[in-house]
């Protein structure tokens, strides 16, 4: 008497998804190297946030290192300086300013040998500041949509304004 053989079929091959906007703009090869998520509000509100161009650049670099929620970035000041093209002492000064302004929080770590290791940069302050600006940007979007609808609607069909 023979036992029946159990055959487990391979899962169906997933169909290739169509490329997203990033890939459509930049191409598959560029996308393969990764990309940073920079909120449009951060870009549009740089002046309102009170950060200068070097500080903005440092924050963008930190966001590029932020790839996994819960795993804060930990580049060295030298790595940031090399990427931006400035001195590590300049990075340090701007990091201190960003820390005092509540954009970042630096956490020092010790190595297993007891020496000071690389800093971790917690970006909760930046995230909170961007989230606090969101209602203003939502209002702007709503006002633009209302203005568009008004412009597209013939005068005789527009709702009457109370006021």
């Amino acid at each position: 008497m023979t036992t029946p053989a159990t055959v487990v079929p391979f899962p169906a091959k997933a169909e290739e998804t169509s490329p997203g906007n990033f890939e459509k703009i930049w191409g598959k090869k560029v996308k393969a190297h990764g990309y940073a998520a920079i909120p449009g509000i951060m870009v549009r509100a740089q002046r309102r946030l009170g950060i200068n161009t070097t500080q903005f650049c440092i924050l963008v670099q930190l966001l590029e290192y932020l790839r996994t929620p819960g795993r804060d970035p930990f580049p060295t000041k030298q790595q940031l300086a090399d990427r931006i093209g400035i001195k590590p002492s300049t990075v340090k000064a701007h990091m201190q300013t960003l820390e005092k302004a509540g954009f970042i929080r630096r956490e020092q770590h010790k190595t297993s040998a007891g020496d000071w290791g690389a800093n971790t940069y917690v970006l909760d302050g930046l995230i909170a500041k961007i989230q606090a600006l969101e209602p203003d940007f939502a209002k702007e979007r709503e006002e633009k949509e209302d203005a568009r609808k008004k412009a597209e609607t013939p005068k005789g069909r527009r709702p009457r304004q109370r006021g």
Side-chain angles (χ1 to χ4, degrees):
M1 182 167 163
T2 61
T3 59
T6 304
V7 177
V8 178
F10 284 109
K13 188 174 182 181
E15 293 182 32
E16 285 192 35
T17 59
S18 60
N21 289 337
F22 184 92
E23 191 173 316
K24 286 178 182 175
I25 294 168
W26 296 100
K28 196 172 193 169
K29 288 182 179 181
V30 171
K31 183 182 175 193
H33 293 277
Y35 54 93
I38 311 299
I41 293 172
M42 181 176 153
V43 175
R44 294 177 60 201
Q46 177 183 342
R47 183 174 177 197
R48 187 170 168 192
L49 289 165
I51 53 178
N52 66 33
T53 54
T54 304
Q55 293 161 351
F56 182 85
C57 193
I58 289 169
L59 290 171
V60 168
Q61 290 295 330
L62 290 174
L63 288 172
E64 198 280 325
Y65 279 98
L66 181 63
R67 296 186 180 107
T68 307
R71 185 163 189 237
D72 298 312
F74 52 93
T76 65
K77 289 175 186 65
Q78 184 65 57
Q79 287 172 315
L80 293 170
D82 290 345
R83 283 183 167 198
I84 299 169
I86 58 179
K87 295 178 181 179
S89 60
T90 305
V91 171
K92 181 178 179 179
H94 285 290
M95 291 286 231
Q96 289 172 341
T97 301
L98 289 168
E99 194 169 14
K100 285 178 188 170
F103 286 96
I104 62 173
R105 189 176 76 247
R106 182 174 44 101
E107 292 183 354
Q108 291 184 314
H109 296 280
K110 285 194 173 187
T111 65
S112 58
D115 299 327
W116 288 108
N119 293 327
T120 297
Y121 299 99
V122 181
L123 303 176
D124 292 347
L126 171 64
I127 293 166
K129 288 175 185 289
I130 299 298
Q131 289 173 340
L133 294 176
E134 189 280 331
D136 291 346
F137 284 83
K139 183 179 177 187
E140 177 209 23
R141 178 182 285 165
E142 185 178 309
E143 289 170 354
K144 281 183 178 180
E145 180 66 15
D146 290 345
R148 182 193 62 76
K149 286 178 182 176
K150 181 179 177 185
E152 292 174 356
T153 305
K155 284 189 179 186
R157 296 185 175 220
R158 292 181 188 165
R160 292 193 176 174
Q161 297 289 326
R162 294 182 184 165

